[in-house]
Amino acid sequence: MSASNPVPLSILDLSPVSEGSTVAQALRNSIDLARHAEAWGYRRYWVAEHHFVAVASSSPVVLIGAIAAATETIRVGAAAVQLGHNTAVGIVEAFGTLDALYPGRIDLGLGRSGQRRAEALAAVASGAPEPVARPVEVRDGLVIPPPFSPATLLSSSRLAASFGVLQQPGAQAPEFDSQVGDILAFLQGTFTAPDGTDLHATPGENADLQVWLFGSSAGPSADLAGRLGLPFGANYHVSPGTTVDAVDAYRAAFRPSAVLSEPYVVVSADAVVAEDDATARELASTYGHWTHSIRSGHGAVPYPDPTSAPPLTDEQRAVVDGRLITQFVGSPDVVAERLDSLRRVTGADELVVTSVTHKHEDRLRSYELLAREWGLRKLRAA
């Protein structure tokens, strides 16, 4: 591995349901992968919250508990809990319970959901212009595509219906910074209700949780993480065109806190590793189909089988090109070099990798090969 200053690697698992498989199998695969990840030297194992799609991670807190019970030392957490669908006290009590059972191993990642969609819809309604198109940039080996326009997603009736049933009728998501503040207050035992009543979360108060904020752009999440002095997760695997801006905004806003004396950034990447480039490309050949189902507003479909999926049309490829050219696919040395470019350009303190393949054994092998190439066991021993 060519990195002169390697950083830890972690895993972001979406618990994908493969075409022809089941939710139960996807969950068993996640637990199996977590056990292997711990043995291979990965630092954290995070799961993502998604709803009404062909992934099995819709209830992060339940899945985190199952993974923590099946492992011993690896940190386990959410990347991220969608605040727009949850109350502050509900989150604190749930993750406080996890910490009580698996002390010192739980990460609480927080992300915007309903708040972000409301802001985007308001921008569209106000006639705000779309971002100015720019060409693909390659910076020190890192591909930075133009930002993806969410216009199609925002107009999706399916997405609107999903948000509608994830909240109580008539409910509105609180402001993100306010909800994060309430979560921190409950954890610290300083929460006061609007009428002045002191309320204490049990479990939750004084829990040894590591709190993270996640974001895809130079927006409220990056700014708030910096101002609060919390670690920040930047989603290159979701929005590669805006990740560098998000990291820069976080560092510009950073203020030292009791948690961190200096910024700490983890950056995500999609990667598929195999013994040789051709095999890796074949394993990743239906990633575009899967991503198109997401970007077109239909939600993630069961992960397609490369042996039977038809080629993408030109129209489909145009929708997902930014994700295809930023997926890291190849032999271990090729993927490690591209990850090192991501580390150099963003200054990441840690990288989190998400690998999706149709067959579970190929996903296991991808992570195993990467761990060996990156030198994770040596890194952990040091």
Side-chain angles (χ1 to χ4, degrees):
M1 203 276 296
S2 61
S4 59
N5 182 29
V7 299
L9 292 185
S10 294
I11 289 176
L12 171 60
D13 179 18
L14 307 179
S15 288
V17 179
S18 290
E19 186 178 50
S21 189
T22 65
V23 167
Q25 188 60 55
L27 293 170
R28 287 193 289 268
N29 290 347
S30 288
I31 293 171
D32 183 55
L33 175 56
R35 290 191 180 113
H36 282 89
E38 183 173 76
W40 293 329
Y42 286 90
R43 174 170 287 189
R44 310 172 199 275
Y45 196 96
W46 285 341
V47 299
E49 180 182 351
H50 294 288
H51 300 277
F52 306 112
V53 292
V55 298
S57 58
S58 59
S59 181
V61 69
V62 176
L63 185 52
I64 290 166
I67 291 170
T71 54
E72 296 179 359
T73 58
I74 194 169
R75 295 193 67 91
V76 188
V81 173
Q82 297 179 9
L83 288 197
H85 309 148
N86 298 273
T87 64
V89 67
I91 293 169
V92 170
E93 289 175 341
F95 278 80
T97 300
L98 289 172
D99 175 69
L101 294 170
Y102 311 103
R105 293 180 56 202
I106 305 300
D107 293 340
L108 171 54
L110 305 173
R112 298 195 304 153
S113 49
Q115 303 97 333
R116 184 174 58 185
R117 180 172 181 271
E119 291 168 4
L121 285 171
V124 172
S126 68
E130 288 285 320
V132 177
R134 58 173 172 77
V136 174
E137 178 186 357
V138 179
R139 189 181 306 178
D140 193 13
L142 181 70
V143 178
I144 304 175
F148 171 70
S149 170
T152 300
L153 287 174
L154 292 175
S155 63
S156 167
S157 58
R158 184 182 182 280
L159 187 64
S162 299
F163 276 97
V165 300
L166 285 168
Q167 293 179 317
Q168 294 292 339
Q172 289 188 333
E175 292 295 327
F176 182 66
D177 56 352
S178 173
Q179 204 167 6
V180 171
D182 287 347
I183 288 171
L184 296 177
F186 275 122
L187 291 172
Q188 296 160 4
T190 60
F191 181 83
T192 302
D195 68 354
T197 303
D198 292 335
L199 296 176
H200 298 271
T202 305
E205 188 169 314
N206 297 319
D208 186 17
L209 299 172
Q210 191 170 103
V211 179
W212 292 71
L213 299 189
F214 288 82
S216 300
S217 64
S221 298
D223 180 72
L224 184 62
R227 288 190 286 110
L228 294 176
L230 295 174
F232 179 63
N235 300 325
Y236 183 78
H237 85 283
V238 172
S239 185
T242 57
T243 295
V244 174
D245 293 340
V247 172
D248 289 346
Y250 165 67
R251 290 202 174 98
F254 185 83
R255 300 172 186 170
S257 68
V259 177
L260 293 175
S261 59
E262 56 187 25
Y264 192 94
V265 177
V266 62
V267 180
S268 65
D270 275 302
V272 174
V273 186
E275 281 79 0
D276 57 78
D277 292 345
T279 301
R281 285 194 296 268
E282 173 62 21
L283 296 177
S285 62
T286 50
Y287 176 75
H289 303 69
W290 191 65
T291 305
H292 182 268
S293 71
I294 299 169
R295 283 197 164 183
S296 61
H298 296 93
V301 297
Y303 198 83
D305 185 344
T307 65
S308 58
L312 288 173
T313 67
D314 291 343
E315 183 179 359
Q316 289 172 326
R317 182 171 292 277
V319 173
V320 299
D321 185 63
R323 293 286 294 272
L324 293 178
I325 63 176
T326 55
Q327 188 187 29
F328 300 171
V329 178
S331 59
D333 59 326
V334 168
V335 173
E337 179 56 38
R338 291 194 64 188
L339 284 171
D340 194 33
S341 294
L342 180 64
R343 177 194 66 83
R344 291 194 308 269
V345 173
T346 62
D349 301 285
E350 186 175 337
L351 298 174
V352 58
V353 178
T354 178
S355 296
V356 185
T357 58
H358 182 257
K359 293 182 179 179
H360 177 56
E361 55 265 34
D362 293 326
R363 191 161 68 127
L364 285 178
R365 186 61 172 158
S366 178
Y367 280 118
E368 181 184 17
L369 290 170
L370 181 58
R372 183 185 304 165
E373 181 71 20
W374 200 258
L376 285 191
R377 287 195 182 94
K378 294 179 182 178
L379 187 60
R380 184 168 62 176

